[in-house]
Amino acid sequence: MKILKIEFRNINSLKDTHSIDFTIPPFNTSSLFAITGPTGSGKSTILDVISLALFNHVPRLGKISKKDIIEKGAILTRNQQEAFARVTYECKSGIYTSEWNISTARTGSLRDYEMQISRKPTGELLPLKKSDVPGKNEQLIGLNYNQFIKSVLLAQGEFSQFLKAKKDERGELLEKITGTGIYRQLGKLAREKFQDVNLEIQKQQDAIALIKQGLLEETQLLDITNLLSEKEKTCEPLEKEILSLNKNLELKKTLEQQLKEIDRIAAERESAEVDLKEFLAGYGPVLEQHEKVRDVAEELRDWKRLSLSCADMDKDIDVKNEQVRENAARLKECLSEISGFTRMLVTQETIETELENFSAKVNGLQKKVDDKLVEYETLKNTYKLETRDLNCPLNEKDPVATARQLEILKTSASQKLNTLQANLTGLDLENIEGEKFRLKRYLVEARDAWKLSDNLERINNDLRRLQKDEASLQTAIKELPAEIRHSEDNVKIYEEKLKNIRLEQRNRELQASLEEHRTQLEDGKPCPLCGALHHPYAEDFPTQDDDLSKKLQLTENELSTWRQRFNSNSTTLNHHQKNLKEIIAQKEALENEIKDHSAEFREKYQDLGFEERANWKELCDQSQNQIDQLEEYEKVNKRMECVETALPVLNELLKISAQGRELRANLEEVYKGKDIHSETRGFHRKWTTLREAEKAMAGQLKELSNKVVQSREKLTLQEANLKNLITEKGFSSIPEAGEALLPDNEYYKLHASRAKLEKEIEKNLNSLTLLNSQVEKYKKDDVEHSAEVLSNLHFEKKQQLKMVQDECEELRRALKNYKEDQKRLQQIQEEIKDKEKENKRWKMLNELIGDATGKKFNDFAQDLTLSQLLVLANSRLKDLSDRYTIDKSAPNEDDGLVAIDEHMGGQRRSVKTLSGGETFILSLSMALALSDLASRNVEINSLFIDEGFGTLDPETLDQTLDTLEKLQAESSKTIGIISHVDSLKERIATQIQLKRHGQGYSTLEITA
């Protein structure tokens, strides 16, 4: 995984938009760079941007939410409305850009953050929700957030604490640094699981003890069984006696109910007889009269219907005679209207002929008018078609004004044509389309040639720039080897000089130790070396020389300067040689491209007479001007043709218009209506309708008269037959008999009511007979005791039975509980056996790794991790210093880590005795080792090392930077060092400089 580009806007103190592209100079020529600036300027913000864009986490704050930004004032720069963090990185599956952004709504409230991933170079967005983006980055990179900040973003502070920590503290620190807290959790869970299973077994054993306490003894069980048998035998006679009492009580209850039912039915029968008398008093005579004429009811109804029908037909004949008179009046009125319409005297015999002749005359005049109108519209459309491009519409109210306007247009077009013909001399104006095509093709080719010429000029400029860069690099490459040799010689000289000075310094330190003892001698007190009490040389000893320390400091500074110069020149020479090869390759590619483009230009445009350095703008403008004038000539010539065509059409329009007005005047003298066909058809239809109505009404009148005669004859015959029948039944006339006849539905309703009452009386009589017989039978089976006595006796027996049954039930419950307890006891014992068998593995696991805090297993796991980490750290430490290796402490040593001093014969020293610089070197090796450990399955090509360089002396700092440069050169890693050490800033040329300004804002600048 390698970070290619970092972009961000308004993150913490870094206001506005900033971009750090590691694929372009100076980062692609020098992958070791420094991030420098004063405290609080925003150096660590660059690391925040990386973790925020990838995982929505910031090392100092954790996971970021909108609430955190609002409450803590984090991430978003003060007084800004939006922010984003964007990181482009390369991994095994390709190049991706991950982005985090947040903005403010119009209302001023902060929107929630958004995250997205896009694939490069297409820019295609991956279909992910924002919550899925960190997980997708983890999948693509191969590292989760904790692994990433320990593999890519290395902080020295945690490892400085780790080196000096005691054994108990070291496990917790290593757990925190490596993010392996899972081992502590496993140790705690192993103990908790063992305790949970043990607790369940203990609970079940307690339950067994409780059950055994409540179990019956064998003698108690036998007594209860015998007592239950005796009680069950006592219940049987009591149950029989209660059953007999129940029967007697039920019989008395039934007898009482039957007597009550007899009284109720007798009352209902009496009520029904009263209702029947009342019904016969009210409806009896009507029903009797109807039943007399019921057998001739159909004849009476036929007579009534026929009488009504004859009366209705008489009325219809009167109405029809009135309609005949009204129709005759309408016929006369219609004949008068037709005479007025045709302006001729019309009779019934000539009406159709006169209407047809008048319609034909009007149609002839109308057709002539329409023909002229069609001819006028045709010419008007022709005029519109011819003048559609002239902006000269037809003024139908004043056509003469339109003719004058056309003459003006003709004169203007003629003058413009003459001017354009003079400008287009040399072109074939008879073949305008051909000339336009030729000029347009020429213009396209000229523009293509212009682009190719510009491209050649750009390539030539690039070639000249590369030639200049090549000459500059060759000069530098020639000069640098001499400077490198000179620097190397000086380094050797100063190293030798430094060695001599340090030797002299050690000698003086030994001498100074003796002189220090001399200064502590006092007269009268024995010397610790010889025992003398008098010390004549304790005073006036020579003073120490301080010049040697200054000389040592100057020599170290000079050595550091020459080493710096040697490393810098060596690195610069390697970069220059690499860049020179790239420039030579680019120059050859550009020269080949120039040859290809020149050959292409000659091949394409030699026939057209183009030159590579022609005035292309003037050439293209001239061709475009000729095309524009040709198109203008074509338009004006077309307008001229339209005017010449439109003038004759307008004159013909004037002539047709006059003829049409004359024909319309003739038509209006004869007919002023709008539709002659409709009006003549209307009159003809009205006349025909009235005549047909006249014939129809005559036929209907005749038919009605015949029907009346037939109906009268039939009615006379029916009256003769009915009269004899009704006389026999006691009626004096047919209408009187008809009045006695009830409607069928009314008769059926009255008849059903009478039958229902009669049936109810009969039903009540049968029920009384049956109930009386049953009562006599129940009285024979009844006992002498009253119901109250029987009920009291029944209650006493039931109470006795209940007492015995309750005692039996209590005894049965005791027996049942005994059986259930035995079964439950057996079940629990089997469960305990199963759990004890299962708990063996949890017991073993608890003994091996379990404890209350998880410390046992965590210490074991962290010890293994520490061993692996120390192997990797010592491998890295070899590149930083050949003096020390790191080891775990022995049982008799301080429980911190141990540094083995190879310069002192493998002496083991506690890391707490190391200087600040030595501690930093060991911390850096541990940090690099953790990066190797965390990324053992992922290739990491980007590292950021945060602070710690200020504790190093110049020599060690140079050695550390040499190691980092070596690491960078061997692995092609991009390595960024965050520091404010001045000498570090001087050593590393490529820098990202952060500067603080007013109002708490900072700026970012990239220098090389």
Side-chain angles (χ1 to χ4, degrees):
M1 181 268 182
K2 187 171 186 177
I3 295 173
L4 303 179
K5 191 175 184 180
I6 302 170
E7 302 167 272
F8 57 96
R9 176 181 177 82
N10 296 331
I11 301 293
N12 293 335
S13 62
L14 291 169
K15 182 182 174 185
D16 297 331
T17 303
H18 303 279
S19 175
I20 304 171
D21 193 341
F22 297 110
T23 62
I24 62 173
F27 297 104
N28 65 342
T29 58
S30 177
S31 297
L32 181 63
F33 63 93
I35 302 173
T36 64
T39 303
S41 59
K43 298 188 295 297
S44 296
T45 293
I46 296 173
L47 307 187
D48 292 345
V49 167
I50 297 172
S51 59
L52 183 65
L54 294 174
F55 300 105
N56 187 38
H57 271 71
V58 172
R60 292 168 290 176
L61 297 173
K63 188 174 182 181
I64 298 299
S65 65
K66 183 176 76 171
K67 183 180 178 182
D68 294 328
I69 295 172
I70 294 170
E71 293 181 354
K72 299 178 182 177
I75 305 300
L76 182 62
T77 304
R78 182 169 49 86
N79 298 328
Q80 300 305 305
Q81 302 299 312
E82 60 178 356
F84 72 80
R86 186 183 302 132
V87 171
T88 301
Y89 62 89
E90 184 177 13
C91 59
K92 290 181 181 179
S93 57
I95 298 176
Y96 297 87
T97 294
S98 181
E99 181 178 340
W100 178 99
N101 65 75
I102 196 164
S103 60
T104 304
R106 292 181 181 177
T107 58
S109 59
L110 196 65
R111 296 189 182 96
D112 203 359
Y113 74 91
E114 296 292 336
M115 291 190 78
Q116 62 184 29
I117 302 177
S118 59
R119 196 190 309 273
K120 294 295 183 181
T122 60
E124 172 197 359
L125 287 176
L126 301 188
L128 299 168
K129 296 185 289 186
K130 69 177 181 182
S131 58
D132 297 334
V133 169
K136 184 64 177 178
N137 280 321
E138 178 182 337
Q139 178 187 340
L140 293 171
I141 296 170
L143 299 172
N144 60 29
Y145 168 71
N146 287 323
Q147 291 170 330
F148 180 83
I149 62 174
K150 292 171 176 59
S151 305
V152 179
L153 314 178
L154 308 184
Q156 305 305 311
E158 290 181 345
F159 283 97
S160 178
Q161 296 174 24
F162 177 73
L163 286 170
K164 298 177 182 179
K166 294 180 180 179
K167 185 176 180 181
D168 291 341
E169 298 172 355
R170 188 167 59 237
E172 294 180 4
L173 282 171
L174 189 60
E175 177 185 344
K176 176 185 174 187
I177 292 170
T178 57
T180 52
I182 185 66
Y183 301 117
R184 185 180 295 278
Q185 293 298 322
L186 287 173
K188 290 166 69 176
L189 288 173
R191 178 178 173 82
E192 288 171 4
K193 181 64 178 178
F194 172 71
Q195 288 179 335
D196 289 345
V197 176
N198 252 5
L199 183 62
E200 289 178 11
I201 292 173
Q202 186 60 47
K203 286 181 180 177
Q204 288 179 320
Q205 288 174 342
D206 293 343
I208 288 174
L210 189 64
I211 292 171
K212 286 182 176 180
Q213 286 178 3
L215 280 177
L216 296 172
E217 296 180 0
E218 290 186 6
T219 55
Q220 290 177 321
L221 183 64
L222 184 61
D223 291 342
I224 290 172
T225 305
N226 294 334
L227 185 60
L228 177 62
S229 178
E230 292 174 4
K231 294 288 183 185
E232 286 175 345
K233 289 177 182 178
T234 308
C235 288
E236 188 174 351
L238 282 172
E239 287 173 350
K240 289 180 180 179
E241 193 171 352
I242 290 169
L243 184 62
S244 175
L245 288 169
N246 274 338
K247 280 185 179 180
N248 291 330
L249 283 170
E250 283 294 324
L251 182 62
K252 285 193 176 293
K253 185 177 179 182
T254 303
L255 187 60
E256 184 180 355
Q257 289 174 348
Q258 293 285 63
L259 291 172
K260 287 180 181 178
E261 187 67 13
I262 289 170
D263 293 340
R264 184 186 66 78
I265 292 173
E268 286 181 358
R269 177 189 173 191
E270 202 173 313
S271 175
E273 287 174 349
V274 171
D275 291 341
L276 181 61
K277 287 180 182 178
E278 290 177 354
F279 179 84
L280 292 175
Y283 299 104
V286 175
L287 281 171
E288 185 181 356
Q289 289 290 92
H290 174 80
E291 287 171 350
K292 283 182 182 179
V293 294
R294 187 178 176 194
D295 54 342
V296 291
E298 194 60 36
E299 288 84 351
L300 285 170
R301 290 191 182 99
D302 287 344
W303 173 82
K304 190 173 183 180
R305 281 195 296 271
L306 192 58
S307 299
L308 293 173
S309 177
C310 288
D312 291 340
M313 283 189 286
D314 290 338
K315 291 178 182 177
D316 290 343
I317 289 172
D318 294 338
V319 170
K320 195 60 68 179
N321 285 326
E322 182 62 27
Q323 288 175 352
V324 168
R325 287 192 293 274
E326 289 176 356
N327 192 66
R330 283 197 290 272
L331 278 169
K332 185 176 180 182
E333 182 182 353
C334 181
L335 197 63
S336 175
E337 287 177 0
I338 293 170
S339 296
F341 177 68
T342 58
R343 301 180 184 178
M344 299 175 62
L345 184 63
V346 179
T347 63
Q348 292 186 10
E349 293 76 14
T350 63
I351 186 168
E352 291 187 4
T353 304
E354 293 296 339
L355 279 173
E356 287 176 4
N357 292 339
F358 182 71
S359 178
K361 179 180 177 181
V362 172
N363 282 333
L365 289 171
Q366 184 70 54
K367 188 174 182 308
K368 289 179 181 179
V369 171
D370 291 343
D371 289 345
K372 287 297 175 183
L373 186 60
V374 170
E375 193 174 351
Y376 177 82
E377 289 296 328
T378 303
L379 285 171
K380 187 169 78 170
N381 291 333
T382 302
Y383 177 81
K384 284 182 181 179
L385 187 64
E386 294 295 336
T387 61
R388 64 184 180 275
D389 299 325
L390 293 178
N391 192 22
C392 185
L394 175 64
N395 187 348
E396 295 189 55
K397 294 182 179 178
D398 189 4
V400 178
T402 305
R404 286 196 299 272
Q405 190 175 355
L406 282 174
E407 289 294 341
I408 292 168
L409 289 173
K410 182 178 180 182
T411 303
S412 173
S414 177
Q415 291 172 354
K416 197 160 189 178
L417 280 174
N418 292 334
T419 303
L420 288 170
Q421 284 170 352
N423 293 338
L424 295 171
T425 305
L427 297 179
D428 184 6
L429 297 178
E430 296 299 325
N431 185 17
I432 291 175
E433 289 299 322
E435 289 291 336
K436 279 168 60 180
F437 179 76
R438 181 182 64 79
L439 287 170
K440 285 180 179 179
R441 186 177 64 182
Y442 180 84
L443 180 60
V444 169
E445 289 177 346
R447 285 174 175 163
D448 289 343
W450 187 1
K451 289 180 183 176
L452 189 56
S453 177
D454 284 350
N455 198 23
L456 272 168
E457 183 64 25
R458 180 185 57 76
I459 295 170
N460 278 315
N461 290 335
D462 291 344
L463 182 60
R464 285 191 289 273
R465 179 180 56 78
L466 287 175
Q467 288 169 344
K468 184 179 177 183
D469 292 345
E470 181 185 11
S472 175
L473 284 174
Q474 284 176 342
T475 302
I477 289 170
K478 288 177 182 178
E479 294 172 354
L480 280 171
E483 292 183 11
I484 291 170
R485 285 193 296 274
H486 179 63
S487 301
E488 189 176 9
D489 293 341
N490 281 315
V491 168
K492 291 177 180 177
I493 291 167
Y494 280 102
E495 281 178 347
E496 185 65 27
K497 190 176 179 180
L498 184 62
K499 183 178 179 183
N500 294 332
I501 292 170
R502 284 178 175 166
L503 183 58
E504 184 180 355
Q505 188 183 33
R506 287 195 191 98
N507 292 332
R508 288 197 179 184
E509 285 174 354
L510 290 173
Q511 184 180 356
S513 178
L514 289 173
E515 290 171 352
E516 184 179 352
H517 282 295
R518 286 173 63 188
T519 60
Q520 295 175 357
L521 293 174
E522 296 180 17
D523 282 339
K525 291 184 179 181
C527 172
L529 182 62
C530 64
L533 298 174
H534 181 57
H535 316 291
Y537 300 104
E539 298 177 358
D540 301 325
F541 54 85
T543 58
Q544 297 180 9
D545 186 7
D546 292 335
D547 293 339
L548 189 60
S549 297
K550 294 179 181 177
K551 190 176 180 180
L552 178 64
Q553 183 66 41
L554 289 172
T555 305
E556 285 178 344
N557 291 342
E558 286 293 331
L559 179 59
S560 175
T561 302
W562 284 110
R563 274 181 176 168
Q564 223 172 27
R565 192 174 299 175
F566 172 76
N567 290 329
S568 178
N569 288 336
S570 298
T571 305
T572 304
L573 179 60
N574 290 334
H575 290 159
H576 284 353
Q577 288 171 341
K578 182 181 176 183
N579 290 341
L580 183 60
K581 288 179 183 179
E582 292 178 356
I583 287 171
I584 290 170
Q586 291 175 7
K587 193 175 75 168
E588 289 176 358
L590 289 176
E591 287 171 348
N592 291 332
E593 196 172 354
I594 289 170
K595 288 178 184 178
D596 293 342
H597 284 356
S598 297
E600 183 185 357
F601 189 92
R602 288 193 297 275
E603 183 183 347
K604 281 186 175 181
Y605 307 117
Q606 192 171 12
D607 297 339
L608 297 172
F610 291 160
E611 297 179 1
E612 288 186 16
R613 299 184 181 277
N615 188 343
W616 297 106
K617 187 175 187 310
E618 183 179 345
L619 192 64
C620 292
D621 289 347
Q622 184 180 353
S623 299
Q624 185 63 52
N625 186 39
Q626 285 184 320
I627 292 170
D628 293 342
Q629 287 192 341
L630 266 177
E631 289 177 347
E632 181 64 20
Y633 178 83
E634 191 177 19
K635 289 179 183 177
V636 173
N637 191 40
K638 190 175 180 181
R639 284 202 296 272
M640 186 70 175
E641 291 174 358
C642 289
V643 170
E644 291 176 345
T645 306
L647 278 168
V649 173
L650 186 60
N651 292 331
E652 186 65 21
L653 265 174
L654 293 171
K655 180 179 176 183
I656 295 299
S657 180
Q659 292 173 354
R661 285 194 295 274
E662 183 180 352
L663 284 171
R664 185 166 291 282
N666 293 337
L667 175 63
E668 288 180 352
E669 287 181 4
V670 177
Y671 173 69
K672 293 184 179 181
K674 293 182 179 180
D675 188 355
I676 184 64
H677 292 289
S678 178
E679 291 195 48
T680 53
R681 279 198 304 272
F683 279 122
H684 186 273
R685 189 164 50 249
K686 185 177 179 181
W687 174 259
T688 304
T689 301
L690 289 171
R691 289 288 293 170
E692 287 177 354
E694 184 182 32
K695 291 178 183 177
M697 283 188 285
Q700 291 169 359
L701 193 60
K702 184 177 179 182
E703 185 179 354
L704 275 173
S705 299
N706 292 335
K707 283 183 178 180
V708 168
V709 171
Q710 292 172 2
S711 296
R712 291 289 182 193
E713 291 175 355
K714 190 175 179 181
L715 183 63
T716 303
L717 183 62
Q718 279 185 348
E719 286 177 349
N721 293 333
L722 271 174
K723 196 163 185 182
N724 295 328
L725 293 172
I726 62 171
T727 303
E728 293 174 0
K729 295 181 182 295
F731 293 98
S732 59
S733 66
I734 295 173
E736 183 185 357
E739 288 296 325
L741 189 66
L742 294 171
D744 286 344
N745 59 343
E746 186 178 347
Y747 168 70
Y748 290 135
K749 185 177 178 181
L750 293 172
H751 183 270
S753 297
R754 183 178 62 185
K756 182 181 178 182
L757 290 170
E758 290 173 349
K759 188 175 180 180
E760 188 175 351
I761 292 169
E762 184 181 358
K763 178 184 173 184
N764 289 336
L765 184 61
N766 292 335
S767 297
L768 284 172
T769 303
L770 178 63
L771 287 171
N772 284 323
S773 66
Q774 289 177 347
V775 166
E776 291 299 323
K777 183 180 178 183
Y778 291 152
K779 284 181 178 178
K780 290 179 182 178
D781 297 333
D782 195 13
V783 294
E784 295 179 0
H785 298 297
S786 66
E788 184 178 359
V789 172
L790 289 173
S791 180
N792 292 335
L793 188 60
H794 180 265
F795 178 75
E796 289 175 3
K797 296 297 180 183
K798 275 188 77 176
Q799 287 295 105
Q800 292 177 13
L801 179 63
K802 185 175 183 304
M803 287 176 63
V804 176
Q805 285 177 336
D806 288 345
E807 290 172 356
C808 290
E809 189 62 33
E810 190 65 31
L811 293 170
R812 288 192 197 98
R813 189 179 299 109
L815 292 173
K816 183 180 179 183
N817 289 343
Y818 177 78
K819 290 178 181 178
E820 287 178 353
D821 287 344
Q822 288 279 26
K823 186 177 179 182
R824 177 63 181 155
L825 195 62
Q826 185 179 359
Q827 182 182 352
I828 293 173
Q829 287 170 344
E830 289 174 359
E831 287 176 0
I832 288 174
K833 287 180 182 178
D834 293 340
K835 285 181 180 176
E836 284 177 342
K837 185 178 178 181
E838 181 186 355
N839 200 34
K840 282 183 181 179
R841 58 178 178 175
W842 294 114
K843 182 180 180 182
M844 184 182 298
L845 197 61
N846 180 56
E847 290 172 354
L848 292 173
I849 67 171
D851 64 17
T853 61
K855 185 175 183 299
K856 186 192 296 185
F857 189 42
N858 186 64
D859 288 349
F860 173 75
Q862 299 308 337
D863 191 59
L864 293 178
T865 304
L866 178 61
S867 298
Q868 188 178 6
L869 188 64
L870 290 179
V871 172
L872 296 171
N874 285 326
S875 176
R876 289 294 186 187
L877 189 55
K878 287 179 184 178
D879 297 327
L880 295 170
S881 171
D882 61 350
R883 181 172 181 178
Y884 293 108
T885 55
I886 314 171
D887 194 11
K888 292 187 286 186
S889 61
N892 60 343
E893 292 178 325
D894 182 81
D895 60 358
L897 292 177
V898 172
I900 301 173
D901 192 339
E902 303 294 346
H903 288 188
M904 299 295 289
Q907 180 185 358
R908 297 171 67 87
R909 296 170 53 190
S910 171
V911 291
K912 298 174 185 176
T913 66
L914 299 177
S915 66
E918 289 170 330
T919 302
F920 168 75
I921 290 173
L922 267 62
S923 297
L924 178 59
S925 67
M926 292 288 283
L928 292 172
L930 180 62
S931 177
D932 296 336
L933 183 65
S935 60
R936 57 186 177 271
N937 297 321
V938 180
E939 184 180 1
I940 301 295
N941 288 319
S942 295
L943 287 178
F944 294 88
I945 304 173
D946 192 0
E947 288 299 350
F949 294 88
T951 60
L952 302 181
D953 59 71
E955 183 181 358
T956 308
L957 177 61
D958 287 339
Q959 188 177 357
T960 302
L961 292 178
D962 290 343
T963 303
L964 290 175
E965 286 176 347
K966 180 183 176 184
L967 173 64
Q968 185 274 319
E970 290 174 352
S971 61
S972 300
K973 292 181 185 288
T974 299
I975 301 177
I977 298 172
I978 300 175
S979 183
H980 55 267
V981 179
D982 292 335
S983 57
L984 181 71
K985 292 188 278 185
E986 293 169 3
R987 173 72 182 271
I988 301 174
T990 304
Q991 296 182 18
I992 300 171
Q993 295 181 349
L994 293 140
K995 298 177 181 177
R996 286 187 299 185
H997 296 281
Q999 299 179 341
Y1001 299 134
S1002 299
T1003 57
L1004 181 149
E1005 182 181 359
I1006 298 171
T1007 62

